[in-house]
Amino acid sequence: MTEQPTSFERPQGADPAEGRGALLRTPKPAATPALPVQARSEGASSGPGTATPCGQGKDGKGKEPPVNGPEHSQPATTEPGAHRPRPAPEGIPPQPGTEQERAPGGQERRTGRGLPPGRPMPMRRDGDRLRFVGAATRRIARGLDLDEIVMGLCRATVPTFSDAILVYLRDPLPVGDERPTGPVVLRLRRTDRIPEERDTDGVLLPPAFDPEPEPSALAELSSLTTELCEVRPGGALNEVLRGVRPVFADAPAARSALPELLGECAEAVVPSGQHAILAPLRGRRRVIGAALFLRRPERLAFESDDLLVAAQLATHSALGIDKAVLYGREAYIADELQRTMLPETLPRPTGVRLASRYLPAAETARVGGDWYDAIPLPGSRVALVVGDVMGHSMTSAAIMGQLRTTAQTLAGLDLPPQEVLHHLDEQAQRLGTDRMATCLYAVYDPVTHRITIANAGHPPPVLLHLGGRAEVLRVPPGAPIGVGGVDFEAVELDAPAGATLLLYTDGLVESRLRDVWTGIEQLREKLAATAQLTGPDHPPPLEALCDEVLDMLGPGDRDDDIALLAARFDGIAPSDVAYWKLEPEETAPGQARRLARRALARWGLEDLSDSVELLVSEVVTNAVRYASRPVTLRLLRTDVLRCEVGDDVPQLPRLRQARATDEGGRGLYLVNRLARRWGATRLSMGKVVWFELNRN
């Protein structure tokens, strides 16, 4: 085998931070006399072959051939099938590779030890350390989250600076200015080491720091050390961490602190001499962990200047971890804020099915001003709302939450859609002069199969008919919320059974690559094409329809948040509705019982007659007692039987426990015990008391 000396000069244009995984180039063999290979310093005999003396492997000008990779290189082989050198580690600085640093036969002059192939040489110049620290800190600074930063520290130091590293972090990690209570606990976060491998001579390299290596496999460092370590106040480990500066493992303070950190196997893990450095990780205000750098016993020990390198690595890593924890907390708060601002689950109103989607603008901007909502209304109606506050920041999300709460309150008053937008506009002006938003508010009535829509500067909705035709609804555009002094209009349109209404924000149809009307036309075509897949008699499933709509977004179309609300109108057939008006007289309860009995007999629900008659009689009796106008009674047959009694009295009834001597007060108690659900809703001109019974 012919060996060639390799160069430790960094090739032009190579970045020492980008060297991981790059293989060294094999220089061309030179015609030199064959010499026996020098035996390994550890006493292991090398295989037969020839070696090139120092200086014989250079080119005609006396220069060494360049290598394609970082500076810590290893002897390159030329024969086919020879051992291929290990990938050069990332972040390795140029090393002095002159002939004076090696004795003949591959031995290092300072110690006389042989350098195992593939092992990085120690840094002996200040320039080497500066270049290494620069490359390593750049690698650490790339990480955004905790795991990336810790992994960057490990990969930047192993094997360039050390053969192994153990990183301990506080559990839990403190965030910002908060002061953790309880004892300080360190948890082993990550361990990295040079894996066991065969060198170029076919000799199995021993495991790192294992006094009795097993021939089968290497034992992981994490299995030799304790995972959790409690830092005792006044203990040796506490004193080292408070000192902040890195120390050698053979220092008196470190010798007492390492057993506390690593456990009973500290002596088996840490080599003797200056082959280990314990570096505290100090963030902005407190120590958040510790890093232990380890070298093999056969490798050169750390020098005093290496303590400065360890201090720089520990400082940059700790500050990065501090920022990552703060960023993680802010991201958690943003996610929680956005989750609480949007509906956790959609209601299931009678005669309509709902589906929704929300997509943030980007991973780095997880909150925004887009929202959607579905609010059940009296009379089995439902309000569908979608809005968009300008921007996608925490402020936009906070304003969105206030506007959404206001819209829910106004919907509970059963105001017309245009009145809801008018009050939202007033609320936005109270929040500030620059609080602008768009909103679309629609009310669907499943009994009349009609929908009433009012718009405040929002993109128009799209209605997908049962036959597959997609239609952009013509609604008054209106001015955005927050402008002030604007009159909003409402339009009433047909909502046939089987049709699907799609409400969305402008982030779905507008981007830097297309204007809003082009996006609306593409959305209409997408809905029509999706409906053709299921045929003219079957509307597409809502969830699949929402996914298909979002698939129309291209790579450059995510400039803004996206809120999507889809409503499938099933409606309630006229044959399933019974409606009457009763005069507020003493005979009204008895008349209500007879009408309910006939309707149940027509629907084949005679089994519910006793319960329905009892509950209808109680609710109508309370309504007639205080009403001055006719009382309405309506029965709806859907998956449940729903009864609604309306009057012109705004006071809502409340459930109370009647005393033994009271003559009344037990009607709502019976309703509460017998009905599946019940409730009361205030209207603009009175109230509605309703209850539901299971049909089975």
Side-chain angles (χ1 to χ4, degrees), residues 247-255 258 272-276:
V247 294
F248 289 119
D250 60 349
R255 281 200 300 266
L258 287 176
S272 59
Q274 293 183 354
H275 284 80

Side-chain angles (χ1 to χ4, degrees), residues 26 248 508 630:
T26 303
F248 289 119
L508 180 65

Side-chain angles (χ1 to χ4, degrees), residues 43-345:
S45 176
S46 60
T50 60
T52 302
C54 295
Q56 294 295 327
K58 303 175 183 178
D59 56 14
K61 298 181 181 180
K63 296 181 180 180
E64 297 179 21
V67 291
N68 182 22
E71 294 72 18
H72 294 289
S73 58
Q74 59 189 12
T77 58
T78 59
E79 295 183 4
H83 177 78
R84 198 176 188 182
R86 295 182 66 228
E90 180 174 342
I92 300 176
Q95 297 295 324
T98 62
E99 291 82 3
Q100 288 79 8
E101 294 177 352
R102 285 200 183 192
Q107 292 183 344
E108 203 271 328
R109 285 188 178 275
R110 296 180 56 185
T111 61
R113 298 180 179 179
L115 294 176
R119 304 302 177 199
M121 290 185 62
M123 305 173 198
R124 298 182 187 160
R125 298 185 302 187
D126 293 339
D128 301 336
R129 291 184 172 87
L130 288 176
R131 283 189 290 270
F132 166 71
V133 170
T137 52
R138 286 195 301 270
R139 177 60 188 263
I140 295 170
R142 293 174 189 171
L144 292 178
D145 58 16
L146 180 61
D147 292 332
E148 289 180 352
I149 294 173
V150 175
M151 183 176 63
L153 170 63
C154 295
R155 291 189 174 179
T157 56
V158 178
T160 307
F161 183 68
S162 62
D163 294 326
I165 183 175
L166 293 88
V167 181
Y168 284 83
L169 296 180
R170 292 183 63 167
D171 187 29
L173 278 168
V175 181
D177 298 329
E178 69 179 16
R179 295 185 176 275
T181 60
V184 177
V185 177
L186 300 182
R187 178 184 292 275
L188 182 61
R189 186 78 185 191
R190 184 181 176 91
T191 62
D192 267 22
R193 64 185 298 174
I194 298 177
E196 178 184 19
E197 62 174 272
R198 295 183 180 272
D199 64 8
T200 54
D201 293 330
V203 179
L204 187 66
L205 297 180
F209 325 122
D210 192 352
E212 297 180 0
E214 297 179 1
S216 59
L218 284 173
E220 293 292 339
L221 287 176
S222 57
S223 63
L224 298 175
T225 59
T226 57
E227 183 179 1
L228 290 177
C229 165
E230 181 177 342
V231 181
R232 297 188 299 271
L237 180 59
N238 184 58
E239 294 300 322
V240 173
L241 296 180
R242 288 180 59 186
V244 179
R245 297 182 180 276
V247 294
F248 289 119
D250 60 349
R255 281 200 300 266
S256 303
L258 287 176
E260 185 179 347
L261 178 67
L262 304 178
E264 300 178 355
C265 298
E267 295 183 358
V269 173
V270 181
S272 59
Q274 293 183 354
H275 284 80
I277 295 178
L278 178 59
L281 301 178
R282 179 175 178 83
R284 294 186 303 166
R285 293 177 176 83
R286 60 181 66 85
V287 175
I288 60 174
L292 183 62
F293 304 95
L294 302 169
R295 283 185 181 177
R296 293 179 182 267
E298 66 271 12
R299 186 177 170 185
L300 285 180
F302 288 108
E303 300 177 358
S304 58
D305 290 340
D306 292 329
L307 293 177
L308 300 177
V309 176
Q312 289 289 329
L313 297 176
T315 300
H316 283 276
S317 301
L319 293 177
I321 291 172
D322 238 1
K323 294 178 181 178
V325 172
L326 287 174
Y327 174 77
R329 173 61 63 87
E330 291 182 0
Y332 171 77
I333 294 174
D335 289 341
E336 288 297 315
L337 177 62
Q338 189 69 63
R339 187 160 40 248
T340 55
M341 292 298 182
L342 296 176
E344 184 176 356
T345 58

Side-chain angles (χ1 to χ4, degrees), residues 292-480:
L292 183 62
F293 304 95
L294 302 169
R295 283 185 181 177
R296 293 179 182 267
E298 66 271 12
R299 186 177 170 185
L300 285 180
F302 288 108
E303 300 177 358
S304 58
D305 290 340
D306 292 329
L307 293 177
L308 300 177
V309 176
Q312 289 289 329
L313 297 176
T315 300
H316 283 276
S317 301
L319 293 177
I321 291 172
D322 238 1
K323 294 178 181 178
V325 172
L326 287 174
Y327 174 77
R329 173 61 63 87
E330 291 182 0
Y332 171 77
I333 294 174
D335 289 341
E336 288 297 315
L337 177 62
Q338 189 69 63
R339 187 160 40 248
T340 55
M341 292 298 182
L342 296 176
E344 184 176 356
T345 58
L346 292 174
R348 296 182 178 180
T350 303
V352 61
R353 286 175 286 174
L354 303 172
S356 63
R357 294 290 187 275
Y358 174 81
L359 293 179
E363 286 295 326
T364 55
R366 303 184 183 183
V367 294
D370 294 14
W371 90 91
Y372 60 89
D373 213 342
I375 309 168
L377 299 178
S380 299
R381 297 171 300 155
V382 59
L384 307 175
V385 191
V386 64
D388 182 6
V389 179
M390 288 193 311
H392 39 78
S393 61
M394 300 284 283
T395 303
S396 302
I399 297 173
M400 177 266 287
Q402 297 183 63
L403 293 180
R404 177 173 177 250
T405 302
T406 304
Q408 289 180 331
T409 304
L410 297 172
L413 299 176
D414 198 29
L415 298 178
Q418 64 271 21
E419 291 296 325
V420 172
L421 296 183
H422 175 73
H423 289 292
L424 283 177
D425 180 63
E426 293 180 340
Q427 176 67 12
Q429 295 179 61
R430 285 190 290 267
L431 295 176
T433 56
D434 58 343
R435 308 309 186 191
M436 305 285 292
T438 63
C439 183
L440 191 143
Y441 188 93
V443 176
Y444 170 66
D445 190 341
V447 177
T448 61
H449 296 268
R450 304 280 289 179
I451 185 169
T452 306
I453 305 176
N455 189 16
H458 203 79
V462 180
L463 184 65
L464 178 62
H465 293 269
L466 185 60
R469 181 174 63 92
E471 173 189 7
V472 179
L473 298 183
R474 297 180 179 180
V475 296

